[in-house]
Amino acid sequence: MRYISTRGQAPVLSFEEAMLTGLARDGGLYLPETIPTLTAAEIAAMAGQSYEEVAFRVMWPFIGDTFTEAEFRGIIARAYQGFGHAARAPLVQLDQGHFLLELFHGPTLAFKDFAMQLIGQLFQAALARSGKRVTIVGATSGDTGSAAIEAFRGLDAVDVFILYPHGRVSDVQRRQMTTPSEANVHALAIDGHFDDAQARVKDMFNDFAFRDGVRLAGVNSINWARVLAQVVYYFTSAVALGAPHRKVSFTVPTGNFGDVFAGFIAKKMGLPIDRLVVATNQNDILHRCLQSAQYVPDGVIPSISPSMDIQVSSNFERALYYAYDCDGGAVAQLMDDLKGGGFSVSQGALQALRESFDSGRCDEADTQATITRLRASTGEVLCPHTAVGVKVAEEHLQPGVPMITLATAHPAKFPQAVEAATGLHPALPPRMADLFDRPERVTPVANDLAAIETLISGRITA
Ligand SMILES: *Cc1c(COP(=O)(O)O)cnc(C)c1O
């Protein structure tokens, strides 16, 4: 399997190279040259199999010769062994024809663990073989950083440095980053905003001497291996509800479009998905684009579902690539126009997008009201991101087609919003109950590139 860039101008890579590279050199995102398909019989045969077995069958065709079958099975087993639920991604029923896919049983209580845990094991296996080390550097507003630290803690081929804005992440998120005691984990509290943290990480990737010197690697949401890991639970949940013998639809709380794009890949692989509903909060650039063809960023308004507070949705570029019939030149042009303030999707491409995607928006008041209402009608306590999904899903239910809404985080990760809506303080799962008793370890850093680079160079294992 070979990987190509959405902008058509970067070298073609293997799975291993695409995974370790992240962003393509032409600024584009990597995609498999062709999407492998599974037959209805192969999908039907997934019924009753473990999450890990389905994960193997879904992802194996994308791996090429990077790993042997046995190696890849071992990677999957290690990735998901730390989850707090035997089913990994269990389904619960909310209402007639409406189901919730709980993706928050991983070590940091958000769906990002599904991808990040796998990436940690993939990196470790690939690096152990080559004897090389890498330095992972990332910026986070909360969820991604904690998931990355959990995934890489204790792995001996990797050092992981996460920059988070000092005083601007939740207590749970901060403690998930500062309490791991392994020597290869480095939580850096930057004196600035999330945008500053992200800008310094970009600067490090653009400082080629530093980048090569410490062998910098990125694991942000555009990494293809992260998207691939997320394709799996579309299969396990759809099959549990009767696929391939009947169609299902999904509603996905969306920010950077990685999760819902994984659903699109599942559909292209042959899973009978009727609709993929993109659910946004008040930062609704994707909903506006699918309605009007206009993709024009207009600033972020902070919400109670912060992991969906985006200005530009990075993985949307991958959907545009298919909507424009795999025309890398057309995608490159759109991304150029975006630098100038925005772009307009062509009529043909908009029609192509609408063949798979619907969309909806849920404002702050509706998000809170949905948490309150679902608590009363089902006993289920939703995190605010999931509530956005549930509300939008309710507006897209169709008779005879089960709707699966992705529950992207555990309510205890966002206790203030949940308490405001229900009067209830959501408890952390027992395996994490001592999070507030563990000692914290964090290094404060100035918002200064040279100082941060010096610190990282001094800390890494040569
Ligand atoms: C990251 C995140 C999202 C958005 O997912 P994308 O793949 O960026 O669209 C939604 N909910 C939660 C809790 C998240 O952490």
Side-chain angles (χ1 to χ4, degrees):
M1 175 65 68
R2 305 190 323 153
Y3 287 82
I4 53 168
S5 164
T6 48
R7 302 193 194 173
Q9 297 295 320
V12 172
L13 301 182
S14 69
F15 175 80
E16 176 172 357
E17 291 164 332
M19 157 187 111
L20 292 168
T21 305
L23 196 69
R25 260 196 281 174
D26 59 3
L29 281 57
Y30 276 104
L31 278 170
E33 203 167 37
T34 55
I35 306 284
T37 53
L38 297 172
T39 64
E42 287 171 319
I43 296 170
M46 292 174 182
Q49 301 294 332
S50 68
Y51 187 87
E52 284 80 353
E53 179 59 33
V54 177
F56 178 80
R57 295 183 192 181
V58 169
M59 294 192 284
W60 179 242
F62 291 91
I63 303 299
D65 51 12
T66 296
F67 299 107
T68 66
E69 221 180 288
E71 281 171 338
F72 191 51
R73 283 184 185 279
I75 286 167
I76 293 170
R78 289 190 295 279
Y80 300 117
Q81 69 189 2
F83 277 50
H85 198 297
R88 310 312 183 210
L91 270 176
V92 302
Q93 188 160 7
L94 288 182
D95 201 343
Q96 195 183 344
H98 191 183
F99 298 81
L100 203 60
L101 180 59
E102 293 186 350
L103 300 175
F104 51 68
H105 295 283
T108 70
L109 309 181
F111 84 92
K112 291 189 174 68
D113 288 324
F114 277 89
M116 212 61 99
Q117 286 291 320
L118 187 80
I119 276 231
Q121 297 301 327
L122 287 168
F123 268 55
Q124 175 69 21
L127 293 167
R129 194 168 51 195
S130 64
K132 290 178 183 152
R133 295 185 57 82
V134 295
T135 303
I136 307 274
V137 174
T140 189
S141 55
D143 283 349
T144 306
S146 51
I149 284 178
E150 273 300 327
F152 289 102
R153 63 190 289 187
L155 299 184
D156 56 22
V158 180
D159 279 293
V160 55
F161 293 83
I162 299 296
L163 278 89
Y164 70 86
H166 177 65
R168 292 190 167 88
V169 299
S170 80
D171 290 348
V172 173
Q173 288 171 329
R174 187 192 70 248
R175 285 185 159 272
Q176 285 181 331
M177 293 189 276
T178 59
T179 56
S181 58
E182 288 83 355
N184 72 327
V185 170
H186 313 270
L188 309 181
I190 187 169
D191 183 16
H193 291 267
F194 169 64
D195 292 340
D196 298 316
Q198 191 155 40
R200 296 299 76 76
V201 170
K202 259 199 193 132
D203 292 344
M204 283 184 253
F205 275 91
N206 286 326
D207 178 349
F208 294 119
F210 175 77
R211 178 176 175 166
D212 295 341
V214 303
R215 296 186 49 85
L216 218 53
V219 291
N220 58 15
S221 75
I222 55 99
N223 193 302
W224 166 254
R226 279 186 61 180
V227 175
L228 178 60
Q230 294 166 184
V231 176
V232 176
Y233 44 71
Y234 285 90
F235 277 89
T236 58
S237 58
V239 168
L241 294 182
H245 312 296
R246 68 170 176 174
K247 287 188 169 192
V248 299
S249 290
F250 289 90
T251 299
V252 187
T254 296
N256 271 324
F257 212 80
D259 211 5
V260 73
F261 183 74
F264 178 75
I265 295 292
K267 183 173 178 172
K268 278 181 105 57
M269 289 179 74
L271 190 65
I273 295 177
D274 190 25
R275 309 301 302 160
L276 287 163
V277 185
V278 175
T280 75
N281 66 19
Q282 60 194 4
N283 297 291
D284 60 352
I285 182 165
L286 290 164
H287 176 54
R288 282 186 281 122
C289 180
L290 287 164
Q291 296 286 301
S292 70
Q294 302 301 313
Y295 190 89
V296 183
D298 62 358
V300 169
I301 315 163
S303 78
I304 56 171
S305 45
S307 301
M308 295 156 68
D309 289 348
I310 51 112
Q311 157 105 282
V312 169
S313 183
S314 48
N315 277 294
F316 192 50
E317 179 169 342
R318 288 187 160 116
L320 289 170
Y321 176 78
Y322 289 112
Y324 278 85
D325 277 330
C326 307
D327 179 352
V331 174
Q333 182 61 53
L334 294 177
M335 294 303 139
D336 242 24
D337 295 346
L338 182 58
K339 281 187 208 143
F343 59 78
S344 175
V345 178
S346 74
Q347 235 12 69
L350 186 65
Q351 211 173 345
L353 287 169
R354 286 180 180 165
E355 274 168 30
S356 296
F357 299 105
D358 283 336
S359 65
R361 171 194 203 270
C362 177
D363 66 20
E364 296 288 276
D366 272 344
T367 306
Q368 178 160 347
T370 302
I371 300 175
T372 309
R373 181 165 53 83
L374 267 285
R375 162 85 182 134
S377 66
T378 67
E380 213 54 53
V381 180
L382 308 178
C383 96
H385 308 77
T386 306
V388 167
V390 165
K391 170 76 174 130
V392 171
E394 288 171 343
E395 296 162 359
H396 287 83
L397 294 175
Q398 296 212 315
V401 184
M403 174 65 81
I404 301 171
T405 297
L406 273 50
T408 51
H410 192 286
K413 233 180 155 171
F414 302 93
Q416 272 98 349
V418 172
E419 197 162 349
T422 62
L424 211 100
H425 190 84
L428 287 166
R431 68 203 150 91
M432 245 168 259
D434 69 340
L435 185 66
F436 282 83
D437 305 324
R438 299 178 201 160
E440 291 191 78
R441 198 167 51 94
V442 57
T443 308
V445 293
N447 180 16
D448 176 78
L449 179 65
I452 297 169
E453 288 185 346
T454 305
L455 179 109
I456 292 175
S457 302
R459 287 265 191 99
I460 58 171
T461 322

